[in-house]
Amino acid sequence: MTAKPEDPLSHLSGYLLRRASSAALAGLNGRLEPLGLRHADVAMLMLIESRAGVTQSEAGRVLDIQRANMVAFVARLESRDLIRRRQVDGRSQALELTAAGRMLLKRARRVVSEHEAALLSKVPERLRPMVLPVLTALWQGG
Amino acid sequence: MTAKPEDPLSHLSGYLLRRASSAALAGLNGRLEPLGLRHADVAMLMLIESRAGVTQSEAGRVLDIQRANMVAFVARLESRDLIRRRQVDGRSQALELTAAGRMLLKRARRVVSEHEAALLSKVPERLRPMVLPVLTALWQGG
DNA sequence: TATTGTTATACTCTATAACTATA
DNA sequence: TATAGTTATAGAGTATAACAATA
């Protein structure tokens, strides 16, 4: 017996994915606003931290951001003195966090943790251990 | 013992949600392309079908589309003769499917079903019954 | 030849403010 | 006074094509 939904979309996992994702994104962006960051900024900072010296193109591949769109993105973070570019060879730029970037990331990570906790708190306790496995499975190249 | 991920983001449900959602959306839009539809079009057609006579504003509230953005959206579907507007009172417009809309929706629904099956097929069988409950729980107003 | 960073550009989606006419 | 539809507009986010410099 499933409850009858108000709309014919609530039984579609794709629709639920989209709505849950956009709601979560909006929530996270709201929490990050005081820090002057957006969710993508934090993803980038976290990636650079865990892979110091990652290349601009590499980062784009991991985060699924087009090379062309990375330019303005990286430039913005650099202009705020959150990251720094170091020439690796004639064409590649290694990305690193600045001290200010590390400090801001520290605060951002707390915000992300709060956000994660808020997300998981919506899920009944018995389903909570399934959240990461389910989402990980759903995310697989298409 | 969790496996060590390549990036520090894969343990964040919010990040997984976003990536899974955008991958799924892209997949669905690809499947719908031969029909000349996008995912939002199908959502709208399905909603109108299940609530014949729904108002433009009501539909926007259900689908989380701004009133202002509904105008061009509805106009496009109407210009393709997929939906029809009927004046309810001096200001409200009831939306209904045309015969062509119903026929196209029939085909779209098959595509959506294939897409749903493809999505679920990625999830290990034992987790599959958790997909809708988990996603439904994660989607709750923010 | 393939890759990196870059510019330019365009398209989709989304958000806001303001107007009108109706309820 | 609140709501429905509308217009105009701006901002994200994303996608593609092309180019120069380098590997």
Side-chain angles (χ1 to χ4, degrees):
Chain A
M1 305 290 136
T2 53
K4 193 173 132 210
E6 340 68 35
D7 62 74
L9 302 161
S10 300
H11 286 137
L12 299 176
S13 57
Y15 183 76
L16 293 170
L17 253 185
R18 187 179 74 77
R19 294 300 299 266
S21 169
S22 91
L25 255 321
L28 178 56
N29 284 332
R31 287 175 192 271
L32 287 172
E33 208 180 327
L35 303 189
L37 294 172
R38 309 263 312 159
H39 67 94
D41 301 329
V42 180
M44 184 65 145
L45 296 179
M46 291 178 72
L47 175 65
I48 295 176
E49 188 203 34
S50 83
R51 294 202 204 176
V54 69
T55 253
Q56 196 167 306
S57 292
E58 281 171 8
R61 277 190 293 269
V62 173
L63 299 178
D64 193 31
I65 300 175
Q66 304 290 321
R67 222 161 64 251
N69 296 326
M70 289 290 291
V71 178
F73 187 26
V74 163
R76 222 184 84 255
L77 295 175
E78 193 183 22
S79 78
R80 290 185 58 187
D81 191 38
L82 300 177
I83 69 176
R84 171 194 314 125
R85 291 194 275 186
R86 187 171 40 83
Q87 204 71 22
V88 169
D89 59 25
R91 56 181 179 184
S92 295
Q93 320 244 333
L95 303 178
E96 295 164 353
L97 294 183
T98 62
R102 249 185 304 274
M103 279 174 52
L104 189 54
L105 175 55
K106 208 169 175 179
R107 297 173 62 195
R109 218 189 329 258
R110 266 194 290 275
V111 171
V112 169
S113 292
E114 289 164 14
H115 171 66
E116 284 287 308
L119 266 185
L120 290 181
S121 76
K122 299 179 177 181
V123 179
E125 219 168 328
R126 295 179 48 201
L127 287 175
R128 238 170 264 170
M130 321 299 186
V131 172
L132 291 185
V134 163
L135 294 178
T136 301
L138 286 172
W139 172 36
Q140 276 165 21
Chain B
M1 303 298 134
T2 54
K4 194 173 131 213
E6 343 65 38
D7 62 73
L9 301 162
S10 300
H11 285 138
L12 298 176
S13 57
Y15 183 75
L16 293 171
L17 254 186
R18 186 178 76 76
R19 293 301 297 268
S21 169
S22 92
L25 255 320
L28 177 56
N29 284 331
R31 287 175 192 272
L32 287 172
E33 208 180 328
L35 303 190
L37 294 172
R38 309 264 311 161
H39 68 92
D41 300 328
V42 180
M44 183 64 144
L45 295 180
M46 291 178 73
L47 175 64
I48 296 176
E49 188 202 36
S50 83
R51 295 201 204 176
V54 68
T55 254
Q56 196 167 305
S57 293
E58 280 170 9
R61 277 190 292 270
V62 173
L63 299 178
D64 193 31
I65 300 175
Q66 303 290 321
R67 222 161 64 247
N69 296 327
M70 289 289 292
V71 178
F73 187 27
V74 164
R76 221 185 83 256
L77 295 175
E78 194 183 22
S79 78
R80 291 185 58 187
D81 191 38
L82 300 176
I83 69 175
R84 169 193 318 123
R85 291 194 276 188
R86 186 171 40 82
Q87 205 72 21
V88 170
D89 60 25
R91 57 183 179 182
S92 295
Q93 321 244 332
L95 304 178
E96 296 165 351
L97 294 184
T98 63
R102 249 185 304 275
M103 279 175 51
L104 190 53
L105 174 56
K106 208 168 175 181
R107 297 174 61 196
R109 220 191 326 261
R110 266 194 290 273
V111 171
V112 168
S113 292
E114 289 163 15
H115 170 66
E116 283 287 307
L119 266 184
L120 290 182
S121 76
K122 299 178 176 183
V123 179
E125 221 169 325
R126 294 180 48 200
L127 286 176
R128 238 170 263 170
M130 320 299 184
V131 172
L132 291 184
V134 162
L135 294 178
T136 301
L138 286 172
W139 173 34
Q140 276 164 20

